[in-house]
Amino acid sequence: MTITCPIYYTAGPIQPWVDAFARQYPHIKVVDWQHIRHPEEVRYAIVWQPTREFLQRFPNLQAILNLGAGVDGILGHPQLPANLQVIRLKDAGMAEQMNQYFAYHIMHFHRSMDTYQRQQTQQQWLPHPATPASNFRVGILGLGQLGRSVANCLVSLGYDVCGWSRSDKDIDNVQCYSGDEQLHEFLGQLDTLCCLLPLTDSTRNLLDRHTLQRLPKGAVLINAARGEHLIEDDLLALLNNGHLRGAVLDTVRHEPLSPDSPLWQQPGLMITPHCAAQSWIEPSVTQIGQNINALLAGTEPPGLVERSRGY
Ligand code: NDP
Ligand code: OXD
């Protein structure tokens, strides 16, 4: 049986996705959503950040398959049918890229590259003592598919790594904290705080002045999760008063970041355009096909999101 799935994707061309499905799963016909002739017959849709118009066009959807890891862009829709199954990607090439993104930026600060960049602007030739990675304490908010991978990568590079999640974890060489009651203890010892949390009602605005002030003076923030985790004005205040040494933001509250935003000009702040980790087409299509096959077989899709917890 051939099934037709609309795709909603505006981050690049659709054709490579269509071609990959045709290669990997010839029974799944993926079609640009605007070209679907019988929207009432559609049961499964493949999306990245769909609009309300898209969701309204397919009244009989049973499952929506997200082309990314974070499902906040779907769950945030006010009229999302209560029984719609939401399915996400797990890793799909993103863990490798996140490892690189965090390793690169952590080494930047650990090896004082921020200081050397500043010195270069003053033609200053001044080496500073290098310290072992094992003396540089990195904390990761979120120990899921991506956070756990980054933690393991940093351990392999010799860093002193700890992490925080909702439920208890046991990960080799990573000191694990969990729950709101352990958050302050976790924060109080870090050289760098990395955020890889999903955006939910419990994590929105978590990175405010109260949380960030718990970090030791001179700490760094790296947020590659969602802009809405962070109160941007609080970050700017703490960079300006010297409490934080620097920050890296891959995501911001309003994307793309407006040319007027003070974030662009802030010394000590590095910005990347939500590119820390991208879904790679081949592994993403493999997973989406597995999820659709599970739906067709009446079994639980491996990427099914627990809607009540928001991730
Ligand atoms: P997962 O769902 O696999 O992991 C989420 C982790 O966060 C889990 O460890 C979970 O705890 C923890 N968590 C959730 N809520 C809380 C809470 N209230 N308190 C403490 N811990 C909590 O997600 P992924 O690792 O796949 O992805 C994480 C996020 O990264 C995505 O949601 C997305 O926003 C972002 N992302 C950003 C990209 C970019 O390019 N910038 C690319 C891809 C993803 P527990 O293990 O106990 O459930
Ligand atoms: C994701 C993302 O959630 O790219 O997959 O941000």
Side-chain angles (χ1 to χ4, degrees):
M1 180 183 70
T2 302
I3 59 154
T4 300
C5 296
I7 183 167
Y8 182 94
Y9 183 72
T10 54
I14 288 175
Q15 198 57 41
W17 293 94
V18 174
D19 294 343
F21 274 99
R23 262 193 316 276
Q24 291 196 37
Y25 297 102
H27 66 295
I28 302 175
K29 189 161 173 267
V30 172
V31 177
D32 183 337
W33 72 286
Q34 284 159 318
H35 300 156
I36 293 277
R37 283 212 233 109
H38 300 288
E40 67 292 344
E41 288 175 8
V42 165
R43 298 288 177 269
Y44 311 135
I46 300 168
V47 302
W48 176 243
Q49 298 180 331
T51 55
R52 191 195 308 191
E53 187 197 354
F54 173 88
L55 293 170
Q56 283 169 345
R57 189 164 148 78
F58 301 102
N60 297 318
L61 269 189
Q62 289 169 3
I64 197 153
L65 296 111
N66 189 36
L67 287 170
V71 289
D72 46 290
I74 298 173
L75 297 183
H77 278 281
Q79 274 117 26
L80 203 67
N83 54 359
L84 182 72
Q85 291 183 292
V86 176
I87 295 165
R88 53 163 290 195
L89 290 179
K90 293 180 171 180
D91 184 351
M94 289 182 271
E96 174 184 333
Q97 298 165 75
M98 276 301 178
N99 294 351
Q100 295 159 351
Y101 189 87
F102 280 93
Y104 174 88
H105 290 292
I106 284 161
M107 287 185 196
H108 176 85
F109 291 101
H110 164 227
R111 292 302 315 273
S112 306
M113 295 303 159
D114 55 336
T115 309
Y116 293 128
Q117 279 178 341
R118 245 190 341 268
Q119 287 183 188
Q120 184 174 345
T121 64
Q122 297 152 6
Q123 298 87 36
Q124 199 178 17
W125 184 274
L126 178 64
H128 299 281
T131 54
S134 55
N135 289 1
F136 198 85
R137 179 93 158 148
V138 182
I140 301 170
L141 293 168
L143 290 171
Q145 295 290 321
L146 303 178
R148 180 187 278 254
S149 169
V150 170
N152 288 330
C153 169
L154 295 173
V155 165
S156 75
L157 292 169
Y159 287 100
D160 180 9
V161 182
C162 57
W164 182 73
S165 52
R166 212 165 65 132
S167 56
D168 291 339
K169 298 269 179 292
D170 185 3
I171 307 175
D172 280 353
N173 300 309
V174 177
Q175 192 175 353
C176 295
Y177 296 81
S178 60
D180 293 345
E181 52 300 338
Q182 293 190 358
L183 179 61
H184 287 175
E185 185 189 346
F186 163 78
L187 294 168
Q189 30 156 355
L190 302 179
D191 293 303
T192 292
L193 175 66
C194 304
C195 183
L196 275 171
L197 287 168
L199 183 66
T200 67
D201 289 344
S202 326
T203 65
R204 182 173 287 104
N205 301 331
L206 179 76
L207 300 172
D208 63 4
R209 78 181 58 218
H210 304 291
T211 311
L212 296 175
Q213 266 166 351
R214 292 275 165 184
L215 294 168
K217 185 169 163 44
V220 169
L221 170 71
I222 306 178
N223 183 17
R226 287 290 183 266
E228 283 180 67
H229 287 126
L230 174 69
I231 306 287
E232 289 165 357
D233 284 346
D234 288 359
L235 172 69
L236 291 175
L238 291 167
L239 286 167
N240 283 329
N241 73 13
H243 183 74
L244 293 181
R245 163 178 170 187
V248 181
L249 301 182
D250 184 56
T251 51
V252 291
R253 202 162 271 263
H254 301 292
E255 295 182 6
L257 185 59
S258 149
D260 309 335
S261 168
L263 294 173
W264 289 114
Q265 311 302 338
Q266 176 64 39
L269 177 57
M270 294 162 76
I271 294 171
T272 53
H274 200 143
C275 60
Q278 295 159 7
S279 313
W280 281 337
I281 293 180
E282 292 300 332
S284 301
V285 166
T286 304
Q287 268 184 47
I288 292 171
Q290 285 163 351
N291 279 296
I292 290 177
N293 285 344
L295 289 164
L296 292 171
T299 57
E300 182 168 306
L304 187 65
V305 166
E306 246 184 72
R307 282 188 57 175
S308 58
R309 60 174 204 182
Y311 68 99

